[in-house]
Amino acid sequence: MSAASPSSTPAQGAFRKFRERNSRILPNIKARIGVGLLLAFVLLAVLAPVISPYSPTYTGFSLGASPSPAHLLGTTRSGQDILSQLIWGTRPSLDVSLTTGSITMLVAVAIGILAGLLEGIIDEILMLATNIVLVLPSIVLVIVISSYISAASDVTISFIIALTSWPWGARVIRAQTLHLKSKDFVKAAIASGENHFRVAFFEILPNMFSLVAANFFFTCLYAVVTVASLQFLGLGNINAISWGSILYWANNSNALMIGAWWWFLPPGLAIGLLGAAFALINFGIDELTNPRLRREGP
Amino acid sequence: MNRTQALIELQNVSKRYRRRTAGSARDTYAMRSVNLAIRPGEVVALVGESGSGKSTTGAIIAGLETPTSGSVVFVGDTLPSRLSGDRLKDYRRRVQIIFQDPFSSLNPVHTIGYHLMRPLLIHKVAASRAVALQAAEGLLEAVGLQPAANYLRKMPHQLSGGQRQRVGIARVLATNPELLVADEPTSMLDVSLRLDIMNLLLDLRDKRQLGMLYITHDLSGAHYMADRIMVMYRGMIVEEGLSGVLLSSPSHPYTQILMNALTRDITGLEDIPSPVDTQSAEQGCSFASRCPHRMAVCVSELPDWATVAEGHRVNCHLYSCSS
Ligand SMILES: Nc1ncnc2c1ncn2[C@@H]1O[C@H](COP(=O)(O)OP(=O)(O)OP(=O)(O)O)[C@@H](O)[C@H]1O
Ligand code: SF4
Ligand SMILES: [Mg+2]
């Protein structure tokens, strides 16, 4: 089919809607700052090999040096360049949060939509599972599970976090599915013979784009903070270079006590900024789609 | 009476909705022992106030809801309580529904072309997307949207209410159905457009011998559209007859009130609520609380059906007592 095909696949439809939303997201100041920050981090992660002054693992520099022109953020107690570590650390931190966000979103969407659409016993089972996971103290659970798995990889950690954080998304998506299901266009699709799968993913899901996106970014935010906390506690892979592991080694070397701010402050700031980027995008989407929050004005 | 086999027949169909609010379940009978039949090429109007159960009746015929009790007979076959598989697909192809609100009946994320091509592809009316595209253009032309090629690429929000309703009609025609439920298809449209849509539906009925359930709360619209009219009150059919006969001598007190409202041009008719509630209907006439002709027997005994003229029946003690 030619590009000017008058019919649209659902993906094209969703994309068109995304583009329309997009033209409204950009004027939104919060979302704009959030997207800008996120892009900056992505750029940093991609260009790490080019920007980074030294190898992040090289240990031959003077030990525990303060900032100097040669080492803008000083060196660690084992003689590594902290700035290089910070730049290289962007990659895993970004990776793990986006992976967690994606896994959580997929699970939340699948469970939320199925529960809302199928109702009856399937809904009740799914919602029971949701409620159980919802009341579990998730951060404790994450800590417990990851301490059983020695040196858990980032992907494992992503799965553990996703396991405990999908219910929030699943609940709102279920509620929205119930709402959309009563709309005539869903009834019309059913009446024209669409099956459950098509109704769920081609009729209902594209209408929840903003909800799903907001859920995704919220989980990313949660993941950034959680993963950093885990690594700070020495769980997960602390020998890989990441913001959390920099914090772990800084703490291990009493950086706070000796006042080596150049060691513990930058990674903390990076975690905060990436978290802020996700939070701002999330707020932005909320404001654009929730009329009650939308500000008056051009 | 017409001797051809009915397309669809509802036999003693009741529908109960269970509303669960904070633990306590409240039952609503949206339909009570409804009997109804539609033959090929016949338009049956279902008239009644808001909440009388018209849409529920339409949804049951369209296969979107299942009866709580009673049976649905489709072209001679009694349907199982839940259709599935090939039988369901076959039913979906042969029975279609047009909705009231043209603004919510099209999915905002899909093009007009998508809406029309899906039923064609689902039911393999068109073998390929190219054929479906061709057929979709034909459907748009059939409902008077021209040039059709321009509409295929449009999104629903780019069309007016009247144009959307035409798309809604084009979509149901895609599978070449035998039976159509039209649930107040004109009530959300400008008055100037209503006649166009009604004529379009009648035209399709003539060309395709469609059977149609035309739901409305407007008696004059029912008269224009229908061969037969059924009046519904609180989930029950209270009077039915050939359009001309019924409207020239409305017999049930409720129908008479509807007629008076019409001649006095009271437009807010649909705003009078007629709540259906838990209290069982077996306790006398459902209209008793509002009826100007209420008698003692009305609150104690369920009225019987009485034939007042050829093809004109009424469910009221006024007639069964005197005969
Ligand atoms: N899904 C549902 N759940 C619970 N109650 C329902 C449901 N659908 C309809 N009802 C109730 O059933 C009764 C009949 O509703 P229905 O929509 O069939 O009426 P209607 O005659 O089409 O009214 P209107 O003219 O307003 O469209 C109403 O009291 C309504 O509240
Ligand atoms: S049965 Fe009695 S209450 Fe009911 S409509 Fe007839 S006269 Fe009125
Ligand atoms: Mg209705």
Side-chain angles (χ1 to χ4, degrees), chain A residues 70-119:
Chain A
H71 301 286
L72 290 174
L73 293 177
T75 61
T76 68
R77 285 271 284 274
S78 41
Q80 296 146 313
D81 180 57
I82 295 175
L83 179 62
S84 302
Q85 288 198 322
L86 191 72
I87 293 172
W88 279 94
T90 312
R91 229 176 240 196
S93 302
L94 210 53
D95 266 1
V96 79
S97 60
L98 295 176
T99 313
T100 312
S102 310
I103 299 171
T104 308
M105 183 185 71
L106 287 178
V107 176
V109 163
I111 291 186
I113 290 195
L114 286 180
L117 195 67
L118 300 178
E119 287 185 285

Side-chain angles (χ1 to χ4, degrees), chain B residues 97-133:
Chain B
I97 179 166
I98 300 170
F99 293 94
Q100 176 176 18
D101 181 0
F103 290 92
S104 82
S105 59
L106 300 177
N107 194 329
V109 305
H110 294 314
T111 61
I112 302 308
Y114 181 89
H115 282 97
L116 298 178
M117 285 165 66
R118 281 306 299 164
L120 293 166
L121 294 170
I122 293 168
H123 298 288
K124 303 201 170 60
V125 178
S128 68
R129 291 180 61 86
V131 178
L133 203 60

Side-chain angles (χ1 to χ4, degrees), chain A residues 1 4-17 20 124 182-195 198-199 201-208, chain B residues 20 62-64 89 92-93 95-97 99-101 104-115 117-119 122-123 129-130 133 149 152-155 157 171 175:
Chain A
M1 283 227 152
S5 161
S7 65
S8 82
T9 67
Q12 284 168 334
F15 179 67
R16 190 172 300 110
K17 186 155 183 185
E20 279 168 18
E124 269 161 37
S182 68
K183 295 257 179 182
D184 285 347
F185 67 78
V186 173
K187 292 185 193 169
I190 293 171
S192 52
E194 298 282 23
N195 58 30
R198 294 280 311 201
V199 170
F201 297 104
F202 291 76
E203 302 293 330
I204 293 180
L205 184 58
N207 282 288
M208 299 199 294
Chain B
R20 258 177 251 154
L64 294 171
K89 207 166 170 188
R92 297 258 183 256
R93 184 176 58 74
V95 183
Q96 282 291 318
I97 179 166
F99 293 94
Q100 176 176 18
D101 181 0
S104 82
S105 59
L106 300 177
N107 194 329
V109 305
H110 294 314
T111 61
I112 302 308
Y114 181 89
H115 282 97
M117 285 165 66
R118 281 306 299 164
I122 293 168
H123 298 288
R129 291 180 61 86
L133 203 60
L152 289 172
R153 215 168 294 146
K154 292 212 162 108
M155 302 302 288
H157 73 259
R171 165 171 59 186
T175 60

Side-chain angles (χ1 to χ4, degrees), chain B residues 280-301:
Chain B
S280 79
E282 331 319 323
Q283 279 293 317
C285 171
S286 56
F287 192 56
S289 58
R290 286 169 68 189
C291 183
H293 307 291
R294 184 180 56 225
M295 302 167 287
V297 64
C298 299
V299 282
S300 58
E301 272 176 53

